[in-house]
Amino acid sequence: MPQQVHETDFHTLSAAFIRRLHESRLGLPHQVIDLSATPDATRVVATGSVRDTLSGPPRTAVYFIEDGDFRAIVDGVESTLHGRFSPNGRLLSFLSDRKRAGIFQLHIGSADRVENAKGCTEVDGTVEYTQWSPTGGRILLGVAGVGADIASTHGGTAITAATRDAPAWCPTVDYGTPEKAWRSLWIHDVENDSVRRLSLPGANYWESAWCGENQVVAVSSPSPDEDSWYRSVIVQVDVDTGAVVELFRGEDQLGVLTTSPDGARVAFVQALCSDRGLFAGNAFVMDLATRSVSRLDVSDADLSFLQWIDAEHLGYFGIRHLESVAGIVDIRDGSVSELPTGNRSIAGSRLPRGHFLQDGSAVVVQDSYTLPHEVTVLTKGGAKILASTAHDGSREVGSSAGRAEAVSWTAPDGLTIEGIVCLPPGEGPFPTVLNVHGGPVWIHRESWMMKQSIVPFLVSQGFAVFCPNPRGSCGRGQAFARKAVGDFGGAEVQDHLSGIDHLVNTGIADPARLGVMGGSHGGYIASWIVTQDDRFAAAVPFFPVTDWYSWTFSTNIPSFGFLNLDGSPEDPGSAFHMRSPVTHASSVRTPCLTIGGSLDKCTPAGQAVEFHNALRLQGVESALCIYPNEGHGIRGIEAEIDFNARILDWFASHFDL
C-alpha cells in the first residue's frame, strides 16, 4: 500500500463518490441537524450542515422551510445555527460567528425580515444554545469559554480563538484547566439589548432550561473539564440572585432537561452514557413542589429528547430496538400515545429528536440508508414531507449503495443480538467488513449512509458491511446497555464473532474475505478482536483506544475508563492492562491500518502510534495514518476522500480483489 494514495485509482474512486454526494448541493444543506417551529407550524426553521466548496469541513446555516425548499435566513458564508422563535412567533433568534469564525453570538430579528437581524450585546465566549423565557422578554444563553472542551461527538478538540503567532521556539504550556474554559449561564434582556452573567464562579453548566420566569434548571458540575460531565447533578438557579439548590443526583449521567410551561415540573433523562451528546435512557419527571421523582414507562424505549407540549403532556423521541419512536405521555395517568414513523428513522445530530406542535404532531427529520434527510411532519394519520435534501448526486449514491437489511442472531450465552447488514447487488457470499460502532452506548440504525460515507462507498465496490449492535448498545433499555460495563472486550466480542458466523452460515459473508473496522470504542474493538481471533484478513481501527493504561493519563475523559473497566491502572493485572490490545500484540496475525487525528483529546493519536509500534515489534504488517487537522473523527472533505480511499485500498489488497 502506498504511503500516499492521492494518485491511485482508489483515490479517484473515492473523490468521484464524494463529488456525487456534494457537488450539485454546494451552498445548500446536505443534512439537517436541528429543527424549531412556531406552535402552529406556520413557520419552521432548520439548521443544516453546508458545504460551499469541495474543501475543508462544512459550516452550519439556518434556513426557513418554505414552499418545499430551504431558504437561508441570512446571506453570506458565515456559520449560523440554533434558530429559535419567540413564544409569540414574531421574533427569531439565532447564533452567528460573522465577527470571529467559530465564536458564536446572539442575533435577533423579525421573523418576517430576519435578514435585517442585529447582533446583540456580546458575551465573553461562544454561545452554544439559547432558550426564550416563557413570556419572551429574556433569552437564556449557554456560553462556553475559549479553551473549553468540545465533546467527542463534535470532534473531541477544544474551543479556540485566533491568537498572534508565537515564536517557533515557544513551548506549549499546560497548567490544567484554562481560566476561561468554564461553561456559564447568561441572561439577555430583549428590549434593552443588555446581558448579564447569571451563574456564579466555581460551577460549570453543561445544559439548562427556564423553569418559569424566575428560575433556571441546569446540569452542573464543579469543574469545567469534559471528564467532570460524567459526575454532574441537576440544580435550580435563582435568576435574581444566582443562588443554587441541588435537585437531583443520579447513579448515571443526567441530561435532556425540559420544564413544564407552568414551571411546576422538570423532566430529564438518566442514562449510562459513553460520550456527552450520545444520550438515550430512562425519562423521569420531578414535581418541584414536593421533589418527588417518577419514571416514565415507555415500553423499554431509550429516550433521547423530551419536550413539554403543555403542563400535562410530555413529548419524547427515542429508540426501541432498531426503530425510532415519537410519542406523548399524559403525566396525569401515565398513558402513552405514539406517532407512526413508517419504515424510516428519525434523525438528529446523533440520536432521534424533533419538535412537537400544539396539536400533538411533530416536525422531524427522517431518513433511511438510501434516503437523505427529509423534513417531515408526523401525524396520527401519516407523514407530510416539507423539504428534502435529496439531489441527483445523492440519488446516484443511493442507487449504488445496495440495500440494508435487519438481522438478528443468538450469542453463545443465548442473548439475542440485532444489527443491520448493507449488501451489494447480487448473490453472496460477499467480501464482508464488520463495522463496529463507537460508544459503546450508541447504535447502528438504518440512517442515511449509516452516518458514514465509507459504508455505501465500500458497498458500491462489492463489499457487504455488517453493522451489529452488541450488548452495551442503546435502544434495548438500560439493563442491556449496562451489559458491557466491567467487561470491555469480553462478551461483546462474542456478539460480533457469532454475528459473523451467522452471516457465513446464511451465505452472505465469505469466510476467506473478512475484515473489521470501527472508530472510537469501535476502534478499540477492531484492534482488540484481532488479538483474540485470527479469522480477519485485514483490520482498520480508527481513533481507537489501544492501551487503557496510557490512555488514562492522556485523554480528557479518564472517568470513562474508571466507570467501565474493573480495577485500577496501578494494578498490573487489571483490565486496564489485560484488556489492552498492545498487551497482546504478539497474538495478532491480521494486517492492521490504524488511523488517528492529531487534534483528538478523547482518544489521542498516541493510541494509534502505540498499536502500530507494538505490531511492528512483533513483525505484524502494520500501517499508521495520522491526520494533522482532524480530531475525533473526519470532518475535512479532503481527509474524508483520503480516509475512504485508504480503507478501500487496505481491504481490497488484503482480500486479493
Side-chain angles (χ1 to χ4, degrees), residues 77-140:
V77 294
E78 70 204 68
S79 282
T80 56
L81 52 83
H82 206 75
R84 292 294 184 268
F85 290 101
S86 61
N88 62 14
R90 296 174 183 172
L91 299 176
L92 180 72
S93 65
F94 62 94
L95 304 176
S96 172
D97 70 346
R98 64 178 54 166
K99 286 191 176 181
R100 287 179 294 170
I103 303 298
F104 289 85
Q105 299 292 340
L106 178 67
H107 291 65
I108 303 175
S110 166
D112 294 323
R113 298 185 59 83
V114 74
E115 63 273 10
N116 297 326
K118 302 291 185 181
C120 300
T121 300
E122 296 188 359
V123 298
D124 185 12
T126 183
V127 184
E128 294 187 307
Y129 62 89
T130 65
Q131 186 185 33
W132 288 83
S133 67
T135 61
R138 294 179 290 185
I139 299 177
L140 175 64

Side-chain angles (χ1 to χ4, degrees), residues 47-360:
T47 299
S49 180
V50 184
R51 293 192 183 276
D52 297 303
T53 66
L54 293 177
S55 178
R59 64 182 176 94
T60 57
V62 179
Y63 296 85
F64 284 117
I65 307 297
E66 294 179 346
D67 301 323
D69 209 347
F70 297 86
R71 179 175 69 84
I73 64 169
V74 295
D75 295 327
V77 294
E78 70 204 68
S79 282
T80 56
L81 52 83
H82 206 75
R84 292 294 184 268
F85 290 101
S86 61
N88 62 14
R90 296 174 183 172
L91 299 176
L92 180 72
S93 65
F94 62 94
L95 304 176
S96 172
D97 70 346
R98 64 178 54 166
K99 286 191 176 181
R100 287 179 294 170
I103 303 298
F104 289 85
Q105 299 292 340
L106 178 67
H107 291 65
I108 303 175
S110 166
D112 294 323
R113 298 185 59 83
V114 74
E115 63 273 10
N116 297 326
K118 302 291 185 181
C120 300
T121 300
E122 296 188 359
V123 298
D124 185 12
T126 183
V127 184
E128 294 187 307
Y129 62 89
T130 65
Q131 186 185 33
W132 288 83
S133 67
T135 61
R138 294 179 290 185
I139 299 177
L140 175 64
L141 310 179
V143 178
V146 173
D149 285 339
I150 296 174
S152 63
T153 51
H154 290 88
T157 57
I159 295 169
T160 59
T163 58
R164 290 182 298 175
D165 291 336
W169 59 264
C170 193
T172 299
V173 181
D174 185 352
Y175 286 103
T177 302
E179 181 180 353
K180 293 187 176 182
W182 296 79
R183 283 178 163 85
S184 54
L185 304 179
W186 297 66
I187 302 291
H188 176 84
D189 187 288
V190 176
E191 183 177 358
N192 299 325
D193 187 26
S194 61
V195 66
R196 65 179 178 87
R197 179 167 174 155
L198 168 61
S199 55
L200 301 175
N204 193 75
Y205 294 94
W206 301 98
E207 60 177 280
S208 60
W210 285 102
C211 184
E213 281 288 329
N214 300 310
Q215 302 286 328
V216 166
V217 293
V219 174
S220 177
S221 64
S223 174
D225 55 277
E226 190 72 14
D227 194 57
S228 69
W229 172 79
Y230 291 92
R231 301 177 297 279
S232 297
V233 299
I234 297 176
V235 300
Q236 189 173 40
V237 185
D238 186 278
V239 171
D240 294 325
T241 66
V244 177
V245 176
E246 183 176 313
L247 294 178
F248 188 82
R249 184 179 295 264
E251 295 181 358
D252 294 316
Q253 287 68 60
L254 302 167
V256 196
L257 292 178
T258 181
T259 59
S260 58
D262 58 4
R265 299 184 179 99
V266 57
F268 59 91
V269 172
Q270 180 174 213
L272 176 69
C273 295
S274 306
D275 309 83
R276 185 165 62 92
L278 291 181
F279 217 108
N282 295 326
F284 296 84
V285 173
M286 173 183 284
D287 185 309
L288 290 173
T290 64
R291 302 288 176 86
S292 61
V293 177
S294 58
R295 178 186 163 187
L296 301 182
D297 183 2
V298 289
S299 302
D300 288 330
D302 282 329
L303 303 189
S304 53
F305 191 74
L306 304 173
Q307 178 195 335
W308 289 93
I309 300 169
D310 56 42
E312 307 295 345
H313 295 88
L314 180 67
Y316 64 84
F317 296 95
I319 307 166
R320 184 180 296 120
H321 291 270
L322 298 176
E323 303 298 323
S324 301
V325 294
I328 299 172
V329 179
D330 189 320
I331 300 301
R332 294 167 295 186
D333 59 14
S335 59
V336 174
S337 174
E338 293 195 344
L339 295 170
T341 59
N343 58 354
R344 298 177 180 179
S345 294
I346 296 176
S349 179
R350 290 294 182 277
L351 292 168
R353 62 181 297 154
H355 187 97
F356 278 96
L357 307 174
Q358 284 179 329
D359 63 1

Side-chain angles (χ1 to χ4, degrees), residues 302-538:
D302 282 329
L303 303 189
S304 53
F305 191 74
L306 304 173
Q307 178 195 335
W308 289 93
I309 300 169
D310 56 42
E312 307 295 345
H313 295 88
L314 180 67
Y316 64 84
F317 296 95
I319 307 166
R320 184 180 296 120
H321 291 270
L322 298 176
E323 303 298 323
S324 301
V325 294
I328 299 172
V329 179
D330 189 320
I331 300 301
R332 294 167 295 186
D333 59 14
S335 59
V336 174
S337 174
E338 293 195 344
L339 295 170
T341 59
N343 58 354
R344 298 177 180 179
S345 294
I346 296 176
S349 179
R350 290 294 182 277
L351 292 168
R353 62 181 297 154
H355 187 97
F356 278 96
L357 307 174
Q358 284 179 329
D359 63 1
S361 60
V363 183
V364 300
V365 178
Q366 288 193 287
D367 64 357
S368 70
Y369 173 56
T370 56
L371 178 72
H373 285 184
E374 293 181 340
V375 180
T376 305
V377 177
L378 296 180
T379 69
K380 281 290 187 181
K384 176 185 177 182
I385 298 172
L386 300 182
S388 173
T389 62
H391 55 94
D392 289 344
S394 66
R395 283 184 279 270
E396 187 177 351
V397 166
S399 68
S400 70
R403 65 191 188 279
E405 295 183 358
V407 292
S408 64
W409 63 98
T410 303
D413 62 357
L415 187 65
T416 298
I417 307 298
E418 301 168 340
I420 295 170
V421 60
C422 301
L423 299 169
E427 298 295 325
F430 303 105
T432 300
V433 175
L434 168 63
N435 179 29
V436 187
H437 69 61
V441 190
W442 197 32
I443 186 172
H444 281 306
R445 299 183 293 141
E446 197 200 325
S447 52
W448 171 232
M449 302 193 302
M450 298 301 292
K451 293 191 177 298
Q452 300 170 284
S453 64
I454 184 61
V455 173
F457 181 56
L458 287 175
V459 175
S460 73
Q461 300 303 309
F463 292 80
V465 180
F466 178 38
C467 305
N469 292 316
R471 66 194 72 204
S473 302
C474 59
R476 294 177 61 179
Q478 291 299 285
F480 188 83
R482 205 173 293 279
K483 285 183 180 293
V485 174
D487 190 34
F488 275 12
E492 61 177 318
V493 166
Q494 298 307 313
D495 295 343
H496 291 300
L497 295 177
S498 59
I500 289 288
D501 291 339
H502 173 73
L503 295 190
V504 170
N505 293 336
T506 54
I508 291 175
D510 182 346
R513 296 183 294 174
L514 297 175
V516 58
M517 67 178 183
S520 194
H521 182 77
Y524 162 65
I525 293 297
S527 55
W528 172 255
I529 203 169
V530 296
T531 72
Q532 306 298 301
D533 195 285
D534 62 2
R535 73 181 68 186
F536 297 100

